[in-house]
Amino acid sequence: MSDQAVSEVDTPAAAAEPPRPRRNPASLVRKAAWLALLVVLLALPLYIDTAWLKAGQYMMIGAVGAIGLTLVVGQAGQLSLAHAFFLLAGGTAYTVLSGPAGDERVIGFGLDPALSLLGAVAVAALLGLAFAPVAGRLRGIYLGVASLALVFLGLYFGQSAEELTGGTSTGRTPASFSLFGFPFAGDGPEITVLGVPIRQAERMWYLFLLLTVLAFVVARGAVRGRVGRSWRAVRDNEAAAAVMGVSVLRAKAGAFAVSSAYGGLAGAMTVLWFDILKPDESEFGTYGINVSIAYLAMVIIGGLGSVPGALVGALIVNGLPQVLALYSADLGWFTGTGDGALTPILVSSFVYGAAIILVVLFEPGGLAAIGRRLTRARRQPPEES
């Protein structure tokens, strides 16, 4: 028998052809579920009223901000209570950059709204990077208190810099957003889909949905990549991370800058949603301490470090007041007057406050941990009797 024949007999077929990787059925199911959810969100403006579209937009604002906060708190292990400050910074940057030039009362640069949106994200990221030396040297409650000081700094800035913010009495109106000449607010070309006119509420829904999807995809990529691994290494053990070659200060600074950029994007979306930039008159308001606590509640309820969990947390914290307000008009709820009357916002605060207590006591991993447990239980085969 020739050497060639011996080689053909002795060589296994598996060596000649490498095995093909097996597809994970669970992964395919998850991708199909996300795709189905996206299709539903794309179709919703064709079937629901404007009031519900506005409520959904507000939930998406919370989702973008919560994704950024869960990266720095859950992935990098840095407690931040400054998210409201970066919302104000992003909203102010967008309004100033896109505002008309030549106004005697306020400053404006007249830039394209899409470019102004990117500028707002960049300004918020730079402010977060400027705070990075503090974030790199503090941890835990000390970092939380230091970051909370930024909220009071934003309150002073909003009240004092009237040429930028318009002041607490009148504020200033942001420029209507447009992308490649297509307007998302105000008058525009008449578009009809399945007999439904696509007006301002529908257009803003699709704009906010696009921004939310981009924020989600970028965050998932960062968490699964090298950047996310360095964040988690620093969170778990800074000394061990340094031994493995991770720059602790750089990782902390990067996490804080990325989180701040997400806050800036959420702030620009906020002024577009309100159609006005109006600084707070006290520490409780659109950019106050209550907002920072609400975003922290989103990531705790959803699950620290979980990007999908941040979406669910935003749905609960930002969505519940909107839903209660819409239903209260039909059912006659919250009709009392006076200082002691219940309001949708007050009831929502009680609800997500109780949810935080339950999560801390019974499931520190949040709703994301419950979802993972249910998924594992579904995968396990039933025990034979």
Side-chain angles (χ1 to χ4, degrees), residues 47-263:
Y47 299 98
I48 62 178
D49 298 332
T50 301
W52 286 102
L53 289 178
K54 291 285 290 183
Q57 294 165 15
Y58 194 64
M59 297 177 202
M60 285 187 264
I61 294 173
V64 172
I67 289 173
L69 189 60
T70 201
L71 294 179
V72 70
V73 176
Q75 291 288 324
Q78 301 181 84
L79 177 60
S80 173
L81 294 175
H83 227 49
F85 168 78
F86 295 110
L87 262 71
L88 176 61
T92 303
Y94 172 80
T95 306
V96 171
L97 293 174
S98 62
D103 193 330
E104 297 180 357
R105 190 176 71 92
V106 292
I107 298 175
F109 292 93
L111 298 181
D112 180 78
L115 184 61
S116 300
L117 184 65
L118 295 177
V121 174
V123 167
L126 290 175
L127 290 174
L129 198 60
F131 187 75
V134 178
R137 288 166 174 77
L138 298 177
R139 67 179 68 180
I141 190 63
Y142 301 103
L143 177 58
V145 173
S147 62
L148 186 61
L150 291 178
V151 178
F152 293 95
L153 180 63
L155 176 65
Y156 173 78
F157 164 80
Q159 294 176 350
S160 303
E162 294 186 1
E163 65 277 7
L164 297 178
T165 64
T168 57
S169 58
T170 59
R172 62 182 296 187
T173 304
S176 300
F177 190 83
S178 62
L179 186 62
F180 303 115
F182 180 82
F184 284 84
D187 297 332
E190 295 184 1
I191 301 176
T192 303
V193 178
L194 298 178
V196 178
I198 306 300
R199 300 190 178 95
Q200 178 176 340
E202 290 80 11
R203 294 174 187 177
M204 293 301 293
W205 172 277
Y206 288 123
L207 172 63
F208 281 23
L209 180 60
L210 173 63
L211 296 176
T212 304
V213 170
L214 289 176
F216 179 83
V217 172
V218 171
R220 292 276 281 188
V223 168
R224 294 178 175 181
R226 182 177 180 180
V227 174
R229 290 193 293 271
S230 66
W231 288 345
R232 292 188 292 274
V234 171
R235 176 198 64 190
D236 295 338
N237 193 313
E238 293 185 8
V243 170
M244 291 187 296
V246 177
S247 175
V248 175
L249 293 179
R250 183 180 300 176
K252 287 185 174 183
F256 214 92
V258 170
S259 175
S260 304
Y262 273 83

Side-chain angles (χ1 to χ4, degrees), residues 32-52:
W34 283 115
L35 181 60
L37 177 61
L38 180 61
V39 171
V40 170
L41 292 176
L42 289 172
L44 274 181
L46 306 178
Y47 299 98
I48 62 178
D49 298 332
T50 301
W52 286 102

